[in-house]
C-alpha cells in the first residue's frame, strides 16, 4: 500500500537546497532537477521524493509503501538538515494529502 508524507521547509534559498538534495540523493537510483521550474524528483528504491519550490519554501513529498515511509522521510530529512545546518532548517512531516 502506498502512502505519503509531506513537509514545507522555510528557507531563503529553496532552489539551492532542492538542487543539492536531488543531486546528492539521486546519485544512486536516479533523480533530476529543473532550474527552470524549480522542481525535481529522486528515486529512493522503495519510494520517490518530489521536490518543488516557492518563494521562501522548499516543498518535499515522499511517496512509498507504509512500512518504509518513515525511514525514507528520515533519510531525506537528515540530509537536508545537514546541508542547511547554517540556516537551521526544520523539517516537520505530515501524513496524507497536502
Amino acid at each position: 500500500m502506498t502512502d505519503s508524507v509531506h513537509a514545507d521547509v522555510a528557507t531563503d534559498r529553496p532552489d539551492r537546497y532542492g538542487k543539492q538534495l536531488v543531486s546528492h540523493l539521486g546519485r544512486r537510483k536516479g533523480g533530476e532537477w529543473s532550474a527552470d521550474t524549480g522542481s525535481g524528483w529522486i528515486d529512493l528504491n522503495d519510494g520517490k521524493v518530489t521536490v518543488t519550490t516557492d518563494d521562501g519554501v522548499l516543498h518535499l513529498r515522499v511517496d512509498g509503501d507504509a512500512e518504509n515511509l518513515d525511514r525514507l522521510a528520515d533519510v531525506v530529512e537528515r540530509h537536508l538538515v545537514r546541508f542547511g545546518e547554517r540556516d537551521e532548517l526544520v523539517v516537520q512531516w505530515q501524513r496524507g494529502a497536502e
Side-chain angles (χ1 to χ4, degrees):
M1 181 172 146
T2 301
D3 201 357
S4 67
V5 293
H6 64 275
D8 296 328
V9 182
T11 175
D12 292 335
R13 302 183 285 178
D15 289 316
R16 176 188 183 273
Y17 289 121
K19 179 180 178 183
Q20 186 175 12
L21 190 64
V22 169
S23 175
H24 182 76
L25 291 179
R27 289 183 302 189
R28 289 190 178 177
K29 292 292 292 178
E32 185 175 321
W33 177 256
S34 170
D36 293 337
T37 62
S39 64
W41 58 269
I42 306 162
D43 184 346
L44 290 180
N45 218 17
D46 295 326
K48 182 178 180 179
V49 181
T50 305
V51 182
T52 57
T53 61
D54 282 319
D55 287 337
V57 182
L58 178 66
H59 304 283
L60 305 171
R61 179 185 169 107
V62 181
D63 294 294
D65 59 39
E67 66 185 45
N68 290 311
L69 194 59
D70 289 337
R71 179 182 56 80
L72 297 174
D74 183 60
V75 167
V76 172
E77 179 177 348
R78 282 187 288 120
H79 282 87
L80 182 61
V81 168
R82 187 175 70 223
F83 296 153
E85 189 172 5
R86 284 188 183 150
D87 292 337
E88 299 178 354
L89 298 183
V90 176
V91 180
Q92 294 182 324
W93 295 105
Q94 298 177 24
R95 286 203 180 270
E98 297 177 52

